[in-house]
Amino acid sequence: MAILKIVTDGNPILRRKCRPVSAVNKRIQSLLDDMLETMYDAPGVGLAAPQVGIPLRVIVMDVGKGPIKLVNPKVTYLSDEEVLDTEGCLSFPGLIGEVWRCKRVRVSGFNEFGEKVSYEGDDLFARCVQHECDHLDGRVYVDIAENVRERTSEDEEEAEEQEELETQEEPEV
Ligand code: ZN
């Protein structure tokens, strides 16, 4: 496993549509492992392959319920209900903004063994899925966010409180 370099704003790969993975082989398995290690190291709750310079449809996530590795993810359900909440992105360090996202999503794809998997969840999980899948289509949150600003220490305290609340919920994925 290795920690990869995270691509930041200004790199055109962040605005490009990524290619599907044709086969989940050893190379993809080690990409998934390296992406997870990179995400935990950052630290973040989600990471998409273009963020480490690889234009493939691969994402990893961990919103506090354990690691999720998804190859060729496809969102198969989006709730009508939307929620506005704060978001940040490892490719736009130091910034945050508010984004409207669907409250609940279902996503399917393939795991590191090439088996079909699907997950469903709401709130932070749903937000993270939408954010990471956007990356695969070259969309970044700063383009759709309201009030993008520098993160302050007050924001960080708020985020920590938020996290504590979220971890009290039962996992739905
Ligand atoms: Zn991001």
Side-chain angles (χ1 to χ4, degrees):
M1 299 227 280
I3 292 172
L4 308 170
K5 190 172 156 35
I6 295 177
V7 165
T8 52
D9 187 25
N11 189 315
I13 198 169
L14 291 175
R15 306 275 180 173
R16 214 180 287 160
K17 200 172 157 76
C18 297
R19 293 192 310 273
V21 170
S22 51
V24 183
N25 52 25
K26 280 226 166 69
R27 196 172 61 92
I28 297 298
Q29 284 167 352
S30 50
L31 173 64
L32 285 161
D33 288 341
D34 290 347
M35 282 173 60
L36 264 185
E37 196 180 359
T38 305
M39 181 193 83
Y40 286 129
D41 178 70
V45 295
L47 192 68
Q51 292 184 276
V52 292
I54 313 278
L56 289 175
R57 305 188 78 82
V58 172
I59 63 172
V60 294
M61 287 173 44
D62 188 342
V63 295
K65 326 280 190 209
I68 292 176
K69 304 170 180 178
L70 268 179
V71 175
N72 297 344
K74 209 173 195 174
V75 174
T76 56
Y77 167 77
L78 288 166
S79 64
D80 290 333
E81 188 186 346
E82 294 190 350
V83 279
L84 182 68
D85 207 347
T86 309
E87 249 173 67
C89 179
L90 295 174
S91 294
F92 295 81
L95 296 181
I96 53 168
E98 273 76 46
V99 186
W100 284 101
R101 299 283 190 189
C102 298
K103 183 175 170 56
R104 187 170 185 85
V105 303
R106 193 178 304 131
V107 62
S108 63
F110 298 88
N111 65 14
E112 73 265 46
F113 309 112
E115 298 159 343
K116 188 138 200 202
V117 287
S118 79
Y119 299 91
E120 186 170 339
D122 42 31
D123 299 319
L124 182 60
F125 170 83
R127 177 167 297 275
C128 193
V129 166
Q130 292 166 83
H131 179 115
E132 302 312 330
C133 287
D134 272 357
H135 271 302
L136 304 183
D137 288 325
R139 285 193 300 269
V140 288
Y141 91 102
V142 290
D143 291 350
I144 53 170
E146 299 171 8
N147 188 23
V148 176
R149 60 195 184 275
E150 300 272 342
R151 184 194 292 266
T152 64
S153 52
E154 269 171 41
D155 290 321
E156 259 155 47
E157 277 166 31
E158 227 170 80
E160 270 165 34
E161 280 168 28
Q162 190 85 10
E163 229 162 74
E164 278 165 29
L165 288 177
E166 270 153 4
T167 49
Q168 288 167 6
E169 285 175 14
E170 281 304 305
E172 299 224 42
V173 294

